[in-house]
Amino acid sequence: TVGCVVVDSQGRCAAATSTGGLLNKRMGRIGDSPLIGAGTYACDICAVSCTGEGEAIIRGTLAREVGAVMEYKGLGLQDAVDFVIKERLDDGKAGLIAVSKTGEVSYGFNCVGMFRGCATQNGFMEVGIWD
Amino acid sequence: MAGWAIAVHGGAGVDPNLPAERQEQAKQLLTRVLNLGIDALRSSGSAIDVVELVVRELESDPFFNSGRGSALTENGTVEMEASIMDGVGRRCGAVSGLTTVKNPVSLARLVMDKSPHSYLAFSGAEKFAKQMGVEMVDNDYFITQDNVEMLKLAKEADSIVFDYRIPTVGYETCGTGVESPFQMNGLPISIYAPE
């Protein structure tokens, strides 16, 4: 699975996710990536793209949940990501990337690693795999 | 006004024994697409255009599991899916079951922009792709030799695999000498190699 989330200089958020799904999957299997709210979500406060165990991501409506706890619990982006990874995945293994309309960037995962990279306008840039 | 920010991912769940050269390849690809997105943002690209641009690039590279290089189904074919969402107005588009569309994320964008729907799948999505005139290719384009070998091993292991792949070499010794007790699909995590 691959994904990208962006907030532009005008504060507009967007997310995209694309995948081939599971190796040896049954024909017709649909994972989290195309399901808005599960694997991909964007609104006026954040954008999120997920990867990992699709069935667990679907059960947890993971991407939308980040926006929801920001909206209803008043959490900041990193706190929202941490909350969702810890509280909404049950035993599933997954990760996500996120940005907020205020120009923050965040990621989280509960497995060994996640291929990811992020950058911000103030010069921060990071590419990593492991925790 | 807040500044721009961008994040990309290429899948979660990585074999702790991932060879250094594969790690380096992954980092180089991630850095390249990140810089592509950064350049677009510096040129005042909109968020929705930048996410499509970056994901298209990742789909076109066989390294990760999307587009060319997608994981294979039980029948040895590729069935892809993608989605895109614009936070402005919460507009969205999604596609599933694609077999011949070169860049699924761009078809998802067309579903969002050019159709009254939010999600098209299988034959309906392929028909829409033809109507929209997007680039289409044979299913073989998406299939890599590595993935053919991995499907063979997955069938032998009677296992489905999410964002991991079984290594084509060293399979017989996998799972030995690894301290982590973590398992997936009933198999030691160490037998899986990342994308």
Side-chain angles (χ1 to χ4, degrees):
Chain A
T1 306
V2 302
C4 180
V5 292
V6 164
V7 56
D8 62 27
S9 55
Q10 296 185 48
R12 298 173 297 198
C13 298
T17 313
S18 180
T19 190
L22 304 170
L23 175 60
N24 204 18
K25 68 182 179 181
R26 292 182 71 96
M27 299 294 290
R29 180 261 187 185
I30 291 172
D32 65 276
S33 295
L35 298 186
I36 297 298
T40 305
Y41 185 72
C43 60
D44 59 350
I45 58 174
C46 69
V48 183
S49 172
C50 301
T51 177
E53 195 176 346
E55 283 70 11
I57 293 168
I58 292 168
R59 289 195 302 274
T61 54
L62 217 61
R64 165 58 188 155
E65 200 77 350
V66 172
V69 295
M70 291 180 75
E71 192 172 352
Y72 299 127
K73 284 175 75 85
L75 297 186
L77 184 70
Q78 186 64 60
D79 288 341
V81 169
D82 292 344
F83 176 84
V84 167
I85 291 291
K86 184 179 178 190
E87 304 293 339
R88 291 291 179 268
L89 269 172
D90 304 322
D91 292 329
K93 298 293 178 186
L96 62 85
I97 54 173
V99 292
S100 73
K101 69 174 181 182
T102 54
E104 300 165 294
V105 64
S106 175
Y107 61 84
F109 52 93
N110 68 350
C111 42
V112 176
M114 178 171 75
F115 297 105
R116 82 275 175 181
C118 47
T120 64
Q121 188 168 341
N122 63 15
F124 168 77
M125 185 169 175
E126 175 189 295
V127 173
I129 301 174
W130 314 112
D131 200 357
Chain B
M1 187 65 70
W4 54 257
I6 179 171
V8 299
H9 71 72
V14 184
D15 176 6
N17 300 314
L18 180 66
E21 66 269 23
R22 295 290 288 170
Q23 294 183 41
E24 191 54 36
Q25 285 177 324
K27 287 179 179 176
Q28 284 179 5
L29 175 54
L30 290 165
T31 301
R32 182 166 66 81
V33 299
L34 203 53
N35 281 323
L36 188 69
I38 290 168
D39 288 345
L41 285 164
R42 284 176 176 158
S43 302
S44 302
S46 69
I48 194 70
D49 287 340
V50 175
V51 295
E52 182 187 0
L53 173 76
V54 169
V55 171
R56 276 181 67 95
E57 195 69 15
L58 288 164
E59 287 175 339
S60 300
D61 192 299
F63 194 87
F64 293 125
N65 174 18
S66 70
R68 186 162 174 254
S70 282
L72 304 184
T73 68
E74 60 186 352
N75 289 357
T77 58
V78 162
E79 281 188 358
M80 300 166 290
E81 41 197 23
S83 63
I84 192 166
M85 188 162 188
D86 187 350
V88 179
R90 280 188 277 200
R91 299 184 313 126
C92 60
V95 288
S96 280
L98 300 182
T99 56
T100 63
V101 176
K102 189 176 181 187
N103 288 108
V105 71
S106 290
L107 189 62
R109 173 81 185 264
L110 288 167
V111 170
M112 179 176 78
D113 287 342
K114 304 288 186 187
S115 89
H117 309 300
S118 60
Y119 192 171
L120 294 174
F122 297 93
S123 60
E126 295 275 342
K127 182 179 177 184
F128 179 68
K130 287 177 188 159
Q131 289 171 344
M132 289 291 108
V134 302
E135 188 172 3
M136 303 179 82
V137 292
D138 289 339
N139 198 249
D140 289 348
Y141 163 82
F142 303 103
I143 299 172
T144 64
Q145 190 56 40
D146 278 354
N147 282 348
V148 171
E149 294 295 325
M150 289 170 203
L151 178 64
K152 182 168 174 259
L153 291 168
K155 284 182 175 295
E156 287 171 3
D158 193 22
S159 169
I160 59 167
V161 181
F162 69 103
D163 262 337
Y164 300 79
R165 296 182 184 185
I166 298 171
T168 52
V169 294
Y171 172 68
E172 58 287 343
T173 59
C174 285
T176 60
V178 176
E179 292 179 1
S180 171
F182 181 67
Q183 292 197 333
M184 187 173 65
N185 298 323
L187 296 168
I189 192 68
S190 56
I191 82 159
Y192 299 100
E195 302 171 359

